[in-house]
Amino acid sequence: MEKLHNAVRQFKEKPWAAGVIAAIDRYTKKQQERRMLAVSHPFWVIVQKEISDHVRSWRFNVLLFLILLTCFGSLYTSITSLVDETRKAGDSDDPFFFLKLFTLSDGSLPPFHVFVGFLGPLLGIGLGFDAINSEQNSGTLSRIVAQPIHRDYLINAKFIAALTVIGVLFFALGFLVMGFGMFIIGIPPTVEEFFRIVCFLLLSILYVAFWLNLSVFLSIRFRQAATSALTAIAVWLFFTIFYQLIVNMVARALMPSEAALPQQLIGYQQFIMNLMRVIPSQLYTDATTTLLVPSVRSLGPLTMEQAYGAIPSPLPLGQSLLIVWPQLTGLIAATVVCFALSYVSFMRKEIRSR
Amino acid sequence: MNQSIIELESLTKKYGEFAAVDHLDLSIRKGEIFGLLGPNGAGKSTTILMMLGLTEPTSGRVKVCGIDSTIHPIDVKRRVGYLPDDVGFYEQLSGRENLLYTARLNRLSRREAEQRVDALLQRIGLKDASGKKAGKYSRGMRQRLGLADVLVKNPEVIILDEPTLGIDPIGVREFLDLIVALSREEQITVLLSSHHLHQVQQVCDRVGIFVAGKLLAQGNVVELSKALFSDKEPYLVEAAIEGALTPEMAETVKSQLLDLEGAVSVRIDKERIYIGGTQEVTAEVAHILVHAGVGLKHLNTREYGLDDIYTKYFEGGEVYGKTA
């Protein structure tokens, strides 16, 4: 410590160093001055405040802790099973070795992308469920809309702020996992792997944005924050658990006989798949699997003719993206619909005090 | 001074069939303190919301500072400060941070915002509590912070919706004094809605009485009582007598009293006599009663205040006997 201190002092005494330090000082002072005099657009003022509210809230920090924990848990399991995987050799020439960090699991904990698919909705709901009704209940809403701003600034800013927080969080997490992975297994990702991971992260953000918008909509619709939170969680549970059950029941009822034609069987299969794809979580799972496991070539049934002559190699990123394009569009559409609903209902709402 | 700053022209707001505000015409002059007085649910808040362009009128026009609030709400909101009833602040932020946020929403730079907010906090006497979280403020402090919040944008008009609700009497006194002082110093027009008539009476230059979506009367208190009772009896004399009168005696006294110039109605109620009139007739009443040999205990003259105007309109009918 003493040594470091002395070194710093000696460094400071050098004339050129003193000059540099003074220049940096001047620069930061000037920047600060400019910041103090700058007039920001009210929209960004709201975004700023919302972000700082999120980051400082207990709720967000609890969620963050939960997600960090699961993230490292799944990283741990994937690395331990990665070791076994390499011992088995065989696919040591797998060009997408690094991606396995995100998809492998030894069974004790689900892999990273499944975890994100599970906790992402919770994060979205957590950031949005009291966006409007808590302001209404604390009496701040009527005060804010009486300021010279357009009303939609408020809802747009809330959405942008939450999305920014989510985006930063996911990119930080994804890159953190990548960094740790590189550090532990000693293999850097290829360019394609890197872009696949970036795509996966963007997709996850989109998925969380859907849940965020849904919960914002509920927060406008319901006056009590608890009601909107419960409703959002109910929707989430319905989609993750009960919807599958219902589809299974429908599938069993519609099951064609053993003697059915292959076309019928395929039609039936397709119908069930399409039923599953109504829900956003299925779209997300489909899309992430395709992105993170390049050997996935189709999300529906493949006939022998289609598979015939195909080279059993992983798909390039462009092709994988092409496969998930419908899923992506579906997710974007669902998000936009939710946002439009909340936008319209907020603009029409008459804002009275409490 | 006489130019009007808020103008409402046959303003109407309907919720389904129910008319919350019904063809309201009102004009408020620059620099005055106007009290909008009415019971709960009379449509005061709805009128205010329409002035700010926060809700659209079904028909009619609102002009504030010469700008149509329905078409250009942003320009109006730049000039008008609004303090909602039961104002709320972000509880996790300090009082000062809350004001800074408002200031920056009004396009002030950080530096300007800090200067103005600190000056305002000093002015309303919350300097010491400025760093405290707004969630820990008492009701009265919150209301004063609300006033500062309204003043941050340097408004030409401030609209206060039930500003004194839930504050203790001393707090109310201070708050109202602050409003009057600010209005006089900075030439701010104040529109104050309330159902506390005494407070309105204390501070307002003019009062509008607002019931069931309609403005029944407006003017200062004297004008109002004249306007409302001129055809009847703006003055009331109450005489307490010793022992009930015999029926014959009551008849003579009554006819004598009615002969008085300015007396309009006489009502005898056991040991009390009420004389309503267009003029001050107390001395004559005393004279007649004493001459008739009635034991006079005391005489009480009363002018109509807002109280009576209020009761008359809100409950309708009988005004007599409402005061002790």
Side-chain angles (χ1 to χ4, degrees):
Chain A
M1 210 54 215
E2 191 80 349
K3 264 187 183 167
L4 187 71
H5 188 74
N6 284 338
V8 170
R9 213 179 50 203
Q10 270 177 12
F11 177 73
K12 272 189 181 163
E13 276 164 5
K14 287 188 180 134
W16 64 269
V20 169
I21 290 169
I24 293 174
D25 228 37
R26 268 204 306 280
Y27 179 73
T28 46
K29 278 233 176 74
K30 217 166 99 187
Q31 285 300 316
Q32 183 127 14
E33 187 63 27
R34 243 188 52 194
R35 222 167 57 94
M36 292 298 284
L37 293 177
V39 176
S40 359
H41 191 273
F43 179 75
W44 295 110
V45 175
I46 307 178
V47 172
Q48 249 175 37
K49 181 198 160 279
E50 290 297 324
I51 290 180
S52 85
D53 274 1
H54 279 314
V55 175
R56 283 180 198 169
S57 72
W58 268 105
R59 182 196 322 162
F60 176 72
N61 286 306
V62 169
L63 281 170
L64 181 69
F65 177 71
L66 205 66
I67 286 173
L68 273 179
L69 211 62
T70 55
C71 184
F72 285 111
S74 57
L75 182 70
Y76 174 76
T77 60
S78 74
I79 283 173
T80 44
S81 52
L82 207 58
V83 176
D84 299 338
E85 194 86 356
T86 37
R87 277 215 196 100
K88 269 188 267 166
D91 55 8
S92 57
D93 50 348
D94 185 355
F96 295 105
F97 190 71
F98 196 81
L99 282 182
K100 293 216 162 106
L101 265 184
F102 289 82
T103 54
L104 266 190
S105 157
D106 62 357
S108 58
L109 269 179
F112 186 77
H113 75 286
V114 175
F115 247 132
V116 172
F118 186 70
L119 285 178
L122 207 59
L123 183 66
I125 292 169
L127 291 186
F129 77 90
D130 64 347
I132 300 296
N133 51 17
S134 74
E135 293 230 12
Q136 170 103 46
N137 290 337
S138 65
T140 46
L141 192 60
S142 53
R143 202 164 56 81
I144 297 303
V145 292
Q147 305 306 328
I149 54 168
H150 292 285
R151 194 191 276 197
D152 58 345
Y153 281 4
L154 195 68
I155 185 143
N156 293 349
K158 277 189 183 274
F159 176 63
I160 296 286
L163 204 62
T164 313
V165 171
I166 292 167
V168 169
L169 172 65
F170 272 112
F171 270 100
L173 271 185
F175 289 156
L176 213 61
V177 170
M178 265 163 89
F180 270 111
M182 271 198 279
F183 200 63
I184 295 167
I185 62 178
I187 305 170
T190 61
V191 176
E192 193 182 328
E193 280 176 315
F194 176 76
F195 282 114
R196 273 177 186 275
I197 291 168
V198 169
C199 285
F200 159 70
L201 292 175
L202 287 175
L203 189 73
S204 306
I205 293 167
L206 181 66
Y207 181 54
V208 178
F210 164 76
W211 288 100
L212 174 72
N213 271 324
L214 183 72
S215 64
V216 168
F217 171 64
L218 293 174
S219 86
I220 296 169
R221 190 69 198 67
F222 297 114
R223 231 192 133 91
Q224 296 299 329
T227 317
S228 75
L230 268 179
T231 315
I233 288 176
V235 171
W236 174 53
L237 279 182
F238 175 78
F239 277 170
T240 43
I241 300 173
F242 298 108
Y243 191 75
Q244 261 93 334
L245 283 180
I246 293 169
V247 169
N248 278 342
M249 280 194 309
V250 171
R252 216 163 293 154
L254 293 180
M255 183 105 74
S257 68
E258 304 228 343
L261 292 171
Q263 280 89 341
Q264 269 181 317
L265 274 177
I266 289 177
Y268 164 76
Q269 197 69 28
Q270 214 112 49
F271 174 68
I272 299 300
M273 291 284 272
N274 286 341
L275 271 190
M276 288 301 286
R277 283 185 188 142
V278 169
I279 59 173
S281 54
Q282 185 63 36
L283 295 179
Y284 175 74
T285 321
D286 281 359
T288 45
T289 327
T290 316
L291 281 176
L292 290 179
V293 186
S295 49
V296 172
R297 354 190 84 232
S298 163
L299 290 165
L302 266 184
T303 58
M304 276 310 279
E305 291 90 47
Q306 283 171 308
Y308 183 74
I311 305 157
S313 68
L315 290 179
L317 175 59
Q319 293 300 314
S320 286
L321 274 179
L322 222 53
I323 291 181
V324 298
W325 204 246
Q327 272 78 2
L328 211 60
T329 325
L331 263 185
I332 292 175
T335 312
V336 169
V337 164
C338 278
F339 184 72
L341 278 180
S342 37
Y343 187 90
V344 169
S345 53
F346 184 65
M347 294 303 276
R348 292 194 166 182
K349 197 178 166 77
E350 190 180 83
I351 296 169
R352 292 185 162 264
S353 47
R354 297 207 195 196
Chain B
M1 261 319 252
N2 264 340
Q3 116 202 53
S4 66
I5 196 155
I6 298 180
E7 255 180 287
L8 311 183
E9 273 174 49
S10 71
L11 192 68
T12 306
K13 174 75 181 177
K14 281 188 175 154
Y15 291 105
E17 278 300 295
F18 171 70
V21 178
D22 195 3
H23 293 93
L24 177 64
D25 290 297
L26 178 66
S27 110
I28 295 172
R29 291 189 291 267
K30 197 169 162 48
E32 73 176 340
I33 303 181
F34 190 89
L36 204 53
L37 190 63
N40 297 328
K44 291 173 305 206
S45 298
T46 311
T47 310
I48 289 172
L49 289 186
M50 284 192 281
M51 284 179 197
L52 288 160
L54 290 179
T55 186
E56 275 183 33
T58 313
S59 67
R61 276 199 326 159
V62 199
K63 271 194 166 181
V64 180
C65 307
I67 305 163
D68 192 315
S69 314
T70 317
I71 304 169
H72 302 290
I74 303 287
D75 292 330
V76 170
K77 287 193 273 187
R78 203 165 283 150
R79 292 173 175 80
V80 180
Y82 167 52
L83 180 66
D85 62 333
D86 201 4
V87 63
F89 290 93
Y90 293 106
E91 299 193 347
Q92 74 277 17
L93 300 181
S94 71
R96 183 168 180 268
E97 283 167 333
N98 265 299
L99 293 191
L100 282 177
Y101 182 51
T102 312
R104 298 201 59 219
L105 284 182
N106 282 287
R107 294 176 191 257
L108 294 182
S109 72
R110 268 174 216 270
R111 166 100 7 115
E112 279 177 287
E114 281 179 7
Q115 284 164 355
R116 195 174 297 171
V117 165
D118 288 338
L120 276 173
L121 282 170
Q122 178 87 44
R123 181 75 184 78
I124 58 160
L126 281 179
K127 187 89 193 155
D128 298 331
S130 67
K132 217 161 99 169
K133 294 255 186 294
K136 298 218 161 61
Y137 277 27
S138 70
R139 183 72 205 244
M141 282 161 89
R142 230 173 41 221
Q143 213 59 251
R144 274 189 287 166
L145 190 66
L147 191 59
D149 183 70
V150 160
L151 293 170
V152 158
K153 61 172 93 163
N154 249 342
E156 293 171 34
V157 181
I158 56 179
I159 297 178
L160 311 170
D161 197 355
E162 303 278 4
T164 53
L165 217 60
I167 319 180
D168 59 59
I170 297 171
V172 167
R173 181 79 242 172
E174 284 176 358
F175 190 76
L176 291 177
D177 286 346
L178 198 58
I179 291 174
V180 174
L182 282 167
S183 164
R184 301 288 178 250
E185 277 168 30
E186 327 241 332
Q187 283 297 307
I188 302 175
T189 314
V190 179
L191 174 69
L192 189 126
S193 103
S194 180
H195 57 246
H196 281 281
L197 43 132
H198 292 292
Q199 295 162 9
V200 168
Q201 208 167 2
Q202 272 170 35
V203 296
C204 292
D205 301 327
R206 283 202 309 148
V207 177
I209 293 191
F210 200 53
V211 180
K214 287 198 168 93
L215 193 69
L216 294 177
Q218 54 173 313
N220 60 31
V221 178
V222 177
E223 279 170 15
L224 268 185
S225 58
K226 281 242 171 72
L228 291 172
F229 296 98
S230 62
D231 53 331
K232 298 177 200 131
E233 14 196 275
Y235 298 97
L236 178 70
V237 181
E238 180 194 9
I241 49 178
E242 211 163 49
L245 293 173
T246 57
E248 313 89 67
M249 192 120 151
E251 256 332 290
T252 41
V253 169
K254 193 168 180 177
S255 66
Q256 276 182 339
L257 285 173
L258 278 174
D259 283 342
L260 275 176
E261 196 187 337
V264 177
S265 74
V266 174
R267 196 164 58 91
I268 299 175
D269 180 15
K270 283 183 191 154
E271 300 191 357
R272 270 163 210 265
I273 305 175
Y274 300 98
I275 304 104
T278 51
Q279 286 174 30
E280 166 76 276
V281 287
T282 322
E284 290 88 336
V285 169
H287 190 75
I288 290 172
L289 289 180
V290 170
H291 268 263
V294 181
L296 182 63
K297 280 204 312 214
H298 69 80
L299 267 179
N300 201 359
T301 321
R302 218 157 53 66
E303 269 180 70
Y304 283 97
L306 275 177
D307 245 332
D308 308 279
I309 299 167
Y310 205 67
T311 340
K312 184 176 168 69
Y313 274 98
F314 299 168
E315 287 169 15
E318 197 70 28
V319 189
Y320 287 153
K322 278 282 170 193
T323 48

